[in-house]
Amino acid sequence: MTLVIDPANAAGHGRMWSHLASDESFAELHRFARVLGIPERGFDHDHYDVPGDRYVDVLAAGVTPVSSRELIHRLTASGLRRRKRGTRPPYRAGATLLRPERLRPGSRIAVVAPAGPVPREPLDAGIAVLSDWDLDVQVGPHVRGAHPDVGYLAARDEDRAADFQAAWCDPAVEAVICARGGYGVQRMLDLLDWDALAAAGPKVLVGFSDVTALHQAFASRLGWATVHGPVVTSLGMGDDVSREHLRRLLFEPEQVLALTPEPVGVLVPGLAEGPLVGGNLALLTSCVGTRDAMPAAASIAVLEDVAEDTFRLDRMVTHLLRSGWFDGCLGVELGDFTEGRDPGAVLAMFVERLGPLGVPVLSGAPLGHVERNLAVPFGVPAVLDAPRAGLGTLTLGLPALA
């Protein structure tokens, strides 16, 4: 990693200021600033403002001196350059997104409840799993609460949003893992301060189901990769394979490139390569028409859902087709569609609706509302191989985390 600082050539508040930045990681930049006693309020989107009289102290700590032009060039080349408030453009579909850093023993993570109320015993069991991984687990103030009037929400919208934002903007927190899904994420999305989230830098976000709305928003608004994977309540109830897959993805991501450890079925043969996007089918459908939607153009779509009749799944897929969400899609991986009345009819529907796209389609991937729910990173490039004879695979082209 390279930390860089430019000469004190920016005037403000009666002083001259230098800019301290990293060309690899916001997380490391924040840690270095804390060690040097540089206040958190000094962070400005993609760098720290450092008083000119501290320039020599920062150099003595091992930071590389560069010109202001070189500092901006390095930030831009690394993808860490952040625009000022109100000027950040939406991120285009099909781009490889910025990957957050992997976790390490002792990393602090925050558990939040952005959607439905959280059952106590599965929550405690999941927290125990995370603690066994040598993570410093912090539980949000409203994770164990309930909305006073709306029984299907964990807390009021503003409280759930405040918990999420406080966790993300805490420089000591390296990952945010959602306690459960349910319903409610979309109700709080517009209450988040997206400029503040952007300033805090990319971190690990884990969850699935209703958390799909956050995956879509983080991709379209921030350009950051996220992890579609088990929520905390399912960690204590899922199988050992799912737990170990997530643990390795978080700590040793280069060891988890195969997203289909056991090959899966082929509905439509072919070969595709592109970043992964998607999540819960119902949530993707409800994101269409909002600023948070990240379509499947130049990407591989990963889909799952639970307890939906075939005609309802057909309606959602048809809406995504008609809205243009699938335009330019390169391939599709279908996860589990648990509790449907007729699995054969579901697969036939997907062939009939998605076949005309002319892209490869895999089925039966181990992800969704099932005991085996293997984590999948969105925004990371992968290769989908659906041979005419035999079974298919989905393999990452890069580790999920940096």
Side-chain angles (χ1 to χ4, degrees), residues 193-357:
D193 183 339
W194 289 93
D195 289 297
L197 297 181
K203 302 181 181 185
V204 179
L205 173 66
V206 183
F208 80 112
S209 190
D210 200 59
V211 183
T212 295
L214 277 168
H215 293 308
Q216 285 274 286
F218 268 57
S220 64
R221 296 194 192 216
L222 301 174
W224 295 342
T226 56
V227 178
H228 179 280
V231 292
V232 177
T233 52
S234 63
L235 278 177
M237 301 185 299
D239 69 348
D240 291 337
V241 173
S242 298
R243 280 189 289 270
E244 180 60 13
H245 180 88
L246 178 61
R247 188 197 67 79
R248 292 172 65 209
L249 185 144
L250 295 177
F251 289 90
E252 305 167 341
E254 66 281 348
Q255 302 298 320
V256 189
L257 299 181
L259 300 180
T260 49
E262 298 178 0
V264 298
V266 174
L267 293 185
V268 181
L271 183 69
E273 182 174 0
L276 302 174
V277 67
N280 180 265
L281 184 59
L283 266 294
L284 293 171
T285 305
S286 64
C287 284
V288 168
T290 72
R291 64 176 298 180
D292 303 313
M294 175 60 81
S299 303
I300 296 171
V302 178
L303 307 174
E304 66 84 27
D305 215 317
V306 60
E308 297 285 1
D309 287 332
T310 305
F311 79 92
R312 296 182 187 276
L313 296 171
D314 186 327
R315 180 166 59 200
M316 289 184 271
V317 171
T318 298
H319 183 71
L320 291 177
L321 288 166
R322 296 183 67 228
S323 70
W325 192 87
F326 278 112
D327 289 357
C329 178
L330 301 177
V332 179
E333 181 189 60
L334 301 174
D336 198 275
F337 290 83
T338 313
E339 300 176 21
R341 295 183 180 178
D342 188 342
V346 169
L347 292 182
M349 180 277 295
F350 277 118
V351 172
E352 192 265 338
R353 298 307 286 140
L354 298 181
L357 293 176

Side-chain angles (χ1 to χ4, degrees), residues 12-325:
H13 305 288
R15 311 172 75 175
M16 298 299 291
W17 299 82
S18 292
H19 304 105
L20 173 67
S22 165
D23 62 5
E24 289 191 14
S25 163
F26 285 126
E28 289 294 336
L29 176 62
H30 291 316
R31 280 195 284 268
F32 180 83
R34 287 198 300 275
V35 170
L36 255 64
I38 299 172
E40 182 183 339
R41 64 179 181 275
F43 185 70
D44 184 13
H45 289 79
D46 54 12
H47 66 274
Y48 277 90
D49 293 322
V50 179
D53 55 15
R54 296 208 60 190
Y55 179 77
V56 173
D57 295 337
V58 175
L59 290 181
V63 176
T64 301
V66 297
S67 68
S68 298
R69 179 175 294 181
E70 175 67 13
L71 185 145
I72 293 174
H73 172 74
R74 291 198 184 195
L75 279 174
T76 302
S78 66
L80 297 179
R81 178 70 168 157
R82 290 286 176 259
R83 297 172 183 263
K84 296 295 184 181
R85 180 178 294 272
T87 63
R88 193 173 57 253
Y91 287 82
R92 66 178 178 85
T96 296
L97 303 182
L98 185 64
R99 296 170 299 151
E101 283 201 339
R102 70 189 66 197
L103 301 184
R104 297 171 176 80
S107 289
R108 178 171 296 176
I109 67 168
V111 175
V112 298
V118 185
R120 182 174 299 276
E121 290 187 8
L123 173 67
D124 291 340
I127 290 173
V129 170
L130 295 171
S131 297
D132 287 344
W133 293 351
D134 197 18
L135 292 170
D136 178 10
V137 183
Q138 289 192 335
V139 180
H142 295 91
V143 168
R144 300 183 186 275
H147 193 290
D149 304 309
V150 184
Y152 51 80
L153 297 174
R156 298 183 188 277
D157 296 344
E158 56 269 26
D159 292 331
R160 301 195 318 281
D163 284 1
F164 186 92
Q165 181 139 339
W168 197 269
C169 293
D170 182 345
V173 169
E174 299 179 43
V176 173
I177 303 182
C178 297
R180 66 157 294 198
Y183 169 73
V185 170
Q186 287 184 311
R187 290 178 53 136
M188 66 158 223
L189 283 179
D190 293 328
L191 300 178
L192 296 172
D193 183 339
W194 289 93
D195 289 297
L197 297 181
K203 302 181 181 185
V204 179
L205 173 66
V206 183
F208 80 112
S209 190
D210 200 59
V211 183
T212 295
L214 277 168
H215 293 308
Q216 285 274 286
F218 268 57
S220 64
R221 296 194 192 216
L222 301 174
W224 295 342
T226 56
V227 178
H228 179 280
V231 292
V232 177
T233 52
S234 63
L235 278 177
M237 301 185 299
D239 69 348
D240 291 337
V241 173
S242 298
R243 280 189 289 270
E244 180 60 13
H245 180 88
L246 178 61
R247 188 197 67 79
R248 292 172 65 209
L249 185 144
L250 295 177
F251 289 90
E252 305 167 341
E254 66 281 348
Q255 302 298 320
V256 189
L257 299 181
L259 300 180
T260 49
E262 298 178 0
V264 298
V266 174
L267 293 185
V268 181
L271 183 69
E273 182 174 0
L276 302 174
V277 67
N280 180 265
L281 184 59
L283 266 294
L284 293 171
T285 305
S286 64
C287 284
V288 168
T290 72
R291 64 176 298 180
D292 303 313
M294 175 60 81
S299 303
I300 296 171
V302 178
L303 307 174
E304 66 84 27
D305 215 317
V306 60
E308 297 285 1
D309 287 332
T310 305
F311 79 92
R312 296 182 187 276
L313 296 171
D314 186 327
R315 180 166 59 200
M316 289 184 271
V317 171
T318 298
H319 183 71
L320 291 177
L321 288 166
R322 296 183 67 228
S323 70
W325 192 87

